[in-house]
Amino acid sequence: MTGTLLPATEAAPTTEGPQAAEGHRRVGRGELVALAVLVVVPVLAFAVPAMLGHSVLPGDDASQNFPMRVLVGKQLAAGHLPLLDLRIWSGTPLLAGWNAGAAYPFTWLFAVLPGTAAWAVNLMVMGWAAGLGLYAFLRANRLGPLAAVLGASVFAFSGAMDAQVVHFGLVAGVSWVPLQLLGVLLLDRATTRRAWCGAAALVAASAALTLLAGEPRAIDVAAAVSGPYVLWRLWRRRHEPRAALRLLAGVVLAGVVAGCLGAVQLLPGLHAVRQSQRASKTFNLFDSGSYPLSWLLLLLVPNLLGGSGSFGAPSFFASYNLTEVTGYVGLLPLVAAVALWGRVRRGRPWPEWVAFEWIAALGVLLALGGSTPAWHLLIRIPLYGGQRLQSRNILVADLALAVLLAFWVDGFLRRRQVVDGARRARPAERWLAALAALGALSVPALALTDTRPLEHVLGVVHKEGLALQLRPWFLPSLGVALGVLALVVLGDRLPRWWRAGATAALVTADVALFALTSLFLVAPANGPVGPLGAAAAADVPVGPTVPVADLGVPGRFAVYDPGLLDGAEAQQAGAPDANLLAGGWSLQGYSAIVNGTYAAATGSHGAMGAGQDVLSVQAVADGVLDQLDPSVLITPPQYLVVAAARAKALTAEGATQAPVPAAGQRDLTAGGTVAWDLGEPVGVTAVDLPVTVSRAGTLQLGLERASGQVDWLPAASLVPGSQTLAETVGGVPGTGSGGQDGPGARTVAILARGTAEGRTGVPEVRDAAHVPLDLDGALQAALSASGQWRYLRQDGPFAVFQATHPDPPVRLVALPGRSLAGATVTGTTGPALAPWTVSVRSTQGAVLIRSVAAIEGWHVTWQPADGGPARPLALERRGIVQAVQVPPGAGTVRFVFRQPGFATASLLGVLGLVALAGLVALWLFLDRRRPGSEPVPGPTAR
């Protein structure tokens, strides 16, 4: 019945000969419908929004994956290899950093297409590879078109594959795994050299694409799926040693070819990891992001802990991230995984689907990671053990469940209709399915009646009133569970067409409900007022956010917003890695790895993943950042000023904008001046400054405007002891009420000077709305201690501070015991902040400092001005930047970056391409007409 989506009935022979196999290769109407679904859905999901100006760029894709791929395209279009990114981390490997996917063939489209068009094509290729690849694999297992398209759809269009689109490299790499399974299956069935070569080429090419996608986790997933499947096929051939050897040889050859092709990403990438902040394998790193065992209930009810926030529903409220714990592929796949065991018969060969039962279990185990007693064994697994966010391995289980669904649906649709009085076939399968459906039904039913037992199991406590808000949103899950129960209990009483329609409708509705409630944000409710509250938020209108590169201040910039209070606006400002699109050079980045020494010194990336808009406060205070030629620091005012009414609550929550009392305290010295930054213009009406005086004297408060003008209040006499200097602002020009010089002339900093000595407490100011504000944000002391930063302006919700005396991009310092007299930099070529060549003249030699991160791979040569031979110079680390000792005289210092491991990897890649081309050529040109040139499939147990 190749013209329909339905398979043959159960009465058909299970052993299909060559003619039946040939029949399966004919493309009928049902096949065309299935293929159309798998082709059209990615087009509607990704191409159409891009054409309408709304490219699918969620989360990390917008801030990291898309900008880095655009950069790769620009470098390729300019004729350069995409090895280095100078615009983030003060210079970091691009190819070896993984996230750019610089060696992934479809990334190269960014060199010839507009960025959004290339991105849409990449997304569609991902969807097509996942959907069509798994469909082909399921059809090769002789499943009907409807079963195959349902299995392919739940894998490609739901679960972690959809949720993890935000991490494009991951889903791009995993999308090729179904083709790896297909290649292994064809290798096992190959009876001719031509078929064997073609299958080996398919395995090699698809595995290489996984390696090149730029995501180590995708490699883990591929190994966890394809590896056990290879072992399964070998076990099936245990009584046929020649066939098993032929399969093993094909897999080994394909693996070697794939390894050679993928070496261009693997070798540089692994070298970069060894130099990075994640070089050490620790339990804390391995355990971070592991699935809590009880959270596997989310595979039954995806919004059990809140969803995407669509239609005003409560958003995910647990301590983790909804994207990272989403693996829901529907209830029917879970029921199918249980029900299939009812088909096992004693004395008969193990069915083909059994392998995927074990693969699903392996996926769950890997996702649990550090939550299992076996963590001390799992952490020793190469590559996998050195990574975090183990929950992403739920992709393994998702793929296996999709395959199990297809096998169950195929058998379910092959049954003949049961009429009244007739005995039902396979009662064990039906009972197992009913029990599994009842189990799935119990979770939303319990959540609807009383959430307290589930709260105890999940280890969370709903906030007050949240449980009642959540309950209506469990009704869709309850409805799906009831539908599944009805289908498995009563489905075989329906005619086959009705049964097929009910199955397809149920799976489609389940996937759609998941997408609306747990994946996409549709018609969200109004969000809460910002962290300072309505009064403070209304005090100063927030203007538009412009890219930092457009502020007109040269040099690198930094963003301090570890709590991502204004994440969306930070992207508009060009926070890394969006600066690759918006312009500007940053001393931070958002790629997964960065040089470990650089990360430790700047605090710009933690091993546990904290790497977006973070900095070490100490690095700001002690001048470490000055080495990198910083010009601008932007931060939300909440890291400088904390609304007094919220201070206690923020401290209890451990929020990143919580008050830090020590940050607001200052030491007073006679004749000295101390300052507190407000982070935005504020109409100050009163200032209270607690002071502990050790030496009597005077103290005078001043209010600094954005222009730099300071309005000093009358000085007060202080005596030894603790007291509070309370000043009401009224008579000072520019701060009183009324007129253009009234509340409009805002204060950006509070100053204090005098002859008294001692230590202040935390100042409290009141704005025009009489909201008390404490000047003890986490960044408050660092800006004051460095003496480097002064308030410049506002950029949307951000305070912009400009460096007053940054180090220049290149500079000379004297050698020990020698003079720098007469030494000068006479010229540079290349980018101003990271010149490729520097012309130097000195009489006694000097040390040239270049404000680029000192990472492995840089090579330096000295070319004398008199035309003598060039010679290499030793590159040293001075703090966190590059230093090189130049000889006396005039000459040019040339900096060249050569990625460690790239030369060897390139050679391996060429060998891999030759080998792959050879396999493809043999597949194309070996005699197709030889008798028996096509494999004859054997029996398949369903």
Side-chain angles (χ1 to χ4, degrees):
M1 299 182 65
T2 57
T4 73
L5 285 166
L6 297 178
T9 63
E10 199 170 48
T14 56
T15 301
E16 303 178 25
Q19 294 160 342
E22 192 68 35
H24 273 288
R25 284 191 292 273
R26 291 199 302 268
V27 179
R29 184 177 58 189
E31 197 91 63
L32 290 175
V33 171
L35 293 173
V37 169
L38 297 173
V39 169
V40 170
V41 169
V43 174
L44 295 177
F46 304 124
V48 172
M51 289 188 290
L52 296 176
H54 298 283
S55 296
V56 179
L57 285 167
D60 286 2
D61 284 342
S63 59
Q64 177 190 86
N65 298 315
F66 177 70
M68 296 185 86
R69 282 161 174 77
V70 171
L71 176 63
V72 170
K74 289 180 178 178
Q75 293 191 4
L76 289 173
H80 304 300
L81 291 174
L83 302 180
L84 181 67
D85 183 357
L86 288 169
R87 289 181 174 269
I88 63 173
W89 304 123
S90 304
T92 190
L94 181 59
L95 168 69
W98 292 91
N99 296 118
Y104 188 55
F106 294 99
T107 301
W108 305 340
L109 292 174
F110 285 85
V112 295
L113 294 177
T116 54
W119 180 254
V121 172
N122 271 260
L123 287 170
M124 287 189 294
V125 168
M126 177 272 297
W128 290 333
L132 294 173
L134 189 57
Y135 179 84
F137 172 70
L138 295 171
R139 291 292 282 142
N141 277 280
R142 294 180 292 282
L143 303 185
L146 180 58
V149 75
L150 290 179
S153 296
V154 299
F155 171 62
F157 308 140
S158 70
M161 277 297 287
D162 258 15
Q164 292 290 347
V165 164
V166 67
H167 303 118
F168 175 73
L170 174 60
V171 293
V174 172
S175 69
W176 300 104
V177 174
L179 286 176
Q180 296 165 29
L181 297 176
L182 176 62
V184 171
L185 178 63
L186 296 179
L187 263 178
D188 187 29
R189 292 181 178 175
T191 58
T192 67
R193 286 179 296 174
R194 175 178 172 273
W196 186 89
C197 290
L202 178 60
V203 175
S206 55
L209 288 168
T210 295
L211 296 176
L212 295 172
E215 174 55 61
R217 177 68 62 192
I219 302 173
D220 292 344
V221 172
V225 175
S226 299
Y229 187 65
V230 169
L231 296 177
W232 166 255
R233 303 304 310 182
L234 289 171
W235 184 81
R236 298 270 283 190
R237 294 288 190 179
R238 63 191 183 280
H239 300 306
E240 304 172 72
R242 293 186 63 181
L245 184 60
R246 184 170 60 245
L247 170 61
L248 182 61
V251 170
V252 170
L253 174 62
V256 171
V257 173
C260 289
L261 292 169
V264 72
Q265 177 65 75
L266 280 176
L267 295 187
L270 292 175
H271 179 275
V273 170
R274 289 192 294 269
Q275 305 295 318
S276 76
Q277 85 284 11
R278 293 180 180 166
S280 299
K281 185 185 294 187
T282 65
F283 172 72
N284 287 337
L285 177 66
F286 173 78
D287 182 56
S288 64
S290 293
Y291 239 110
L293 183 61
S294 59
W295 283 23
L296 293 177
L297 290 174
L298 296 178
L299 298 179
L300 297 173
V301 182
N303 59 341
L304 194 58
L305 297 176
S308 59
S310 294
F311 310 111
S315 298
F316 187 76
F317 59 84
S319 58
Y320 200 14
N321 182 310
L322 181 60
T323 295
E324 301 292 5
V325 297
T326 295
Y328 183 80
V329 289
L331 286 182
L332 196 56
L334 294 169
V335 171
V338 176
L340 280 171
W341 289 106
R343 297 184 186 177
V344 176
R345 296 292 183 268
R346 183 180 299 178
R348 294 188 182 181
W350 284 102
E352 185 67 21
W353 48 262
V354 167
F356 291 94
E357 297 278 5
W358 298 115
I359 292 173
L362 176 63
V364 171
L365 177 66
L366 295 178
L368 292 172
S371 300
T372 72
W375 69 265
H376 60 287
L377 299 175
L378 297 175
I379 199 174
R380 298 178 185 274
I381 299 176
L383 196 62
Y384 166 80
Q387 297 185 61
R388 64 187 189 98
L389 302 177
Q390 307 304 341
S391 60
R392 295 180 183 177
N393 290 295
I394 203 67
L395 280 159
V396 176
D398 281 2
L399 193 155
L401 288 171
V403 173
L404 295 171
L405 170 68
F407 272 96
W408 181 83
V409 168
D410 189 74
F412 179 63
L413 298 182
R414 287 177 186 275
R415 301 180 196 167
R416 293 189 181 276
Q417 181 181 357
V418 176
V419 297
D420 291 340
R423 182 178 180 272
R424 294 188 178 185
R426 299 180 177 175
E429 177 185 340
R430 186 166 54 86
W431 279 108
L432 285 174
L435 289 173
L438 284 171
L441 177 65
S442 66
V443 178
L446 182 60
L448 278 167
T449 56
D450 187 357
T451 61
R452 286 173 296 180
L454 286 176
E455 290 177 8
H456 177 73
V457 171
L458 294 170
V460 298
V461 177
H462 291 137
K463 295 180 181 178
E464 185 177 354
L466 189 59
L468 291 177
Q469 296 176 41
L470 273 171
R471 285 181 184 177
W473 300 99
F474 297 144
L475 288 173
S477 293
L478 183 66
V480 170
L482 288 171
V484 170
L485 180 61
L487 182 70
V488 300
V489 173
L490 304 174
D492 53 5
R493 292 184 176 273
L494 299 174
R496 294 179 67 241
W497 271 106
W498 289 18
R499 197 185 315 161
T503 304
L506 184 61
V507 171
T508 303
D510 199 359
V511 169
L513 287 170
F514 158 74
L516 291 175
T517 61
S518 302
L519 191 61
F520 302 121
L521 181 58
V522 182
N526 293 329
V529 179
L532 288 182
D539 187 46
V540 179
V542 176
T545 303
V546 301
V548 175
D550 294 343
L551 297 179
V553 183
R556 290 189 177 91
F557 71 91
V559 182
Y560 186 84
D561 186 12
L564 299 180
L565 303 181
D566 294 299
E569 288 80 4
Q571 295 304 306
Q572 296 178 31
D577 297 332
N579 65 307
L580 301 178
L581 301 177
W585 294 54
S586 177
L587 56 85
Q588 297 160 287
Y590 189 44
S591 53
I593 56 174
V594 63
N595 179 268
T597 301
Y598 185 93
T602 61
S604 54
H605 206 312
M608 305 304 292
Q612 188 170 15
D613 303 341
V614 299
L615 279 174
S616 164
V617 173
Q618 187 60 39
V620 177
D622 61 19
V624 167
L625 302 186
D626 297 352
Q627 305 171 50
L628 300 168
D629 185 33
S631 59
V632 168
L633 170 67
I634 69 172
T635 182
Q638 291 92 326
Y639 298 107
L640 298 166
V641 178
V642 180
R646 298 196 67 216
K648 185 175 181 181
L650 288 170
T651 302
E653 295 172 4
T656 52
Q657 71 272 25
V660 180
Q665 299 170 1
R666 300 288 187 272
D667 289 322
L668 297 175
T669 57
T673 302
V674 295
W676 296 265
D677 290 290
L678 296 176
E680 61 183 335
V682 175
V684 175
T685 60
V687 181
D688 293 339
L689 178 64
V691 184
T692 300
V693 179
S694 59
R695 181 179 177 181
T698 61
L699 190 64
Q700 185 179 24
L701 296 181
L703 287 80
E704 183 179 358
R705 305 189 199 183
S707 63
Q709 175 185 335
V710 179
D711 300 318
W712 291 101
L713 302 176
S717 298
L718 303 180
V719 298
S722 298
Q723 52 212 282
T724 298
L725 180 60
E727 296 284 359
T728 299
V729 180
V732 177
T735 60
S737 60
Q740 197 167 18
D741 282 338
R746 308 289 184 165
T747 300
V748 298
I750 304 296
L751 308 182
R753 67 182 183 183
T755 59
E757 296 185 356
R759 185 169 179 80
T760 75
V762 176
E764 180 180 285
V765 302
R766 288 179 175 81
D767 63 10
H770 304 291
V771 174
L773 305 172
D774 291 338
L775 309 189
D776 58 353
L779 201 57
Q780 185 67 250
L783 294 181
S784 175
S786 69
Q788 165 79 304
W789 303 96
R790 68 174 299 273
Y791 178 83
L792 178 64
R793 54 166 289 179
Q794 291 296 119
D795 186 13
F798 297 102
V800 180
F801 292 89
Q802 182 178 6
T804 56
H805 49 272
D807 292 334
V810 291
R811 63 188 186 278
L812 297 175
V813 298
L815 289 166
R818 301 187 189 180
S819 171
L820 202 60
T824 182
V825 173
T826 59
T828 64
T829 63
L833 296 179
W836 298 113
T837 65
V838 182
S839 298
V840 177
R841 183 186 303 276
S842 67
T843 57
Q844 301 184 39
V847 176
L848 174 66
I849 308 294
R850 179 173 178 249
S851 294
V852 175
I855 61 174
E856 195 170 341
W858 285 102
H859 299 265
V860 187
T861 57
W862 168 260
Q863 177 64 61
D866 59 11
R871 62 186 179 90
L873 297 179
L875 184 69
E876 304 172 353
R877 183 190 301 274
R878 180 70 64 95
I880 55 176
V881 296
Q882 299 172 2
V884 59
Q885 182 176 329
V886 297
T892 299
V893 181
R894 182 179 302 275
F895 295 85
V896 177
F897 181 78
R898 301 190 186 101
Q899 175 58 54
F902 181 72
T904 301
S906 298
L907 177 60
L908 291 174
V910 171
L911 295 176
L913 281 173
V914 171
L916 181 62
L919 288 172
V920 173
L922 289 172
W923 174 67
L924 288 174
F925 300 114
L926 281 178
D927 189 359
R928 295 169 176 263
R929 296 169 296 175
R930 290 176 54 192
S933 63
E934 296 296 340
V936 179
T940 298
R942 293 187 176 84

